[in-house]
Amino acid sequence: MPSSSAATPRKKRGARKTFARRWWIALWPLLLGIAVTPFAVRAASVVALEGPKAFALLYPWFDVLRSRVLHSPADLVGRTYQYMLYLQFPLYGLVMTLTFRAGRHLRAIIIGLILHFTGLILVVVLAYLGQLPQ
C-alpha cells in the first residue's frame, strides 16, 4: 500500500474557466453598492425634508464628518460632504467584497451592517459631546 505522500496530486478541472465565467459573483457587494448609490442620493433628497435625524439614518458618516466636535476646516468639509454622499455605499460594498471573497458570505453582510451602525453610534456620541458645556 503506497503512502499518502507518494500519491499524485489531483488536478483541478475547470477551476480557471469557472472563475472566468463567474468573476462578478465575487464582486456582487461592490456592484450592489455602486448600483444603490443613485437611489440613495435620490432618497436623501426626500429624507432631508424630514430633518437632520432622518438624513443621518441614511448617511451617518456624512454627519460624522460634519460634526462640530471634530473641528474640521470648512473648505475641506464642504468637498468631503459631496464625496461621502457618493462613496459611502460603494465603500461598504468594497469592504464587504473583501470579506466575501474570503468565503465568508454571511460575515460580509454582517460587516456591512456593522459599518453602518457604527456610523449611527458615532453620530449619537458626537451629538452628545457637542452639547456638553465647554
Side-chain angles (χ1 to χ4, degrees):
M1 184 175 262
S3 67
S4 62
S5 63
T8 59
R10 296 183 188 178
K11 289 186 177 181
K12 294 182 181 179
R13 296 182 192 175
R16 177 173 270 177
K17 290 181 182 179
T18 304
F19 180 74
R21 279 186 261 147
R22 297 184 183 191
W23 64 269
W24 63 272
I25 291 176
L27 296 176
W28 75 264
L30 178 62
L31 296 174
L32 184 66
I34 292 169
V36 165
T37 299
F39 299 108
V41 170
R42 176 71 176 140
S45 65
V46 174
V47 170
L49 298 174
E50 294 292 325
K53 291 181 183 178
F55 185 78
L57 287 175
L58 184 60
Y59 283 104
W61 293 104
F62 184 87
D63 275 357
V64 167
L65 293 175
R66 192 174 62 143
S67 176
R68 290 179 295 161
V69 176
L70 298 178
H71 302 291
S72 302
D75 58 340
L76 173 69
V77 173
R79 283 179 278 141
T80 310
Y81 288 164
Q82 287 293 329
Y83 295 143
M84 203 60 201
L85 277 177
Y86 291 101
L87 288 178
Q88 179 175 328
F89 290 105
L91 286 175
Y92 287 168
L94 180 65
V95 171
M96 290 171 60
T97 297
L98 295 174
T99 308
F100 187 81
R101 290 187 66 194
R104 310 284 190 231
H105 308 303
L106 182 61
R107 189 179 295 174
I109 295 169
I110 292 171
I111 286 176
L113 291 172
I114 288 172
L115 283 173
H116 191 75
F117 286 111
T118 301
L120 289 174
I121 290 169
L122 281 173
V123 167
V124 171
V125 168
L126 290 174
Y128 175 74
L129 291 175
Q131 292 177 354
L132 291 177
Q134 298 279 328

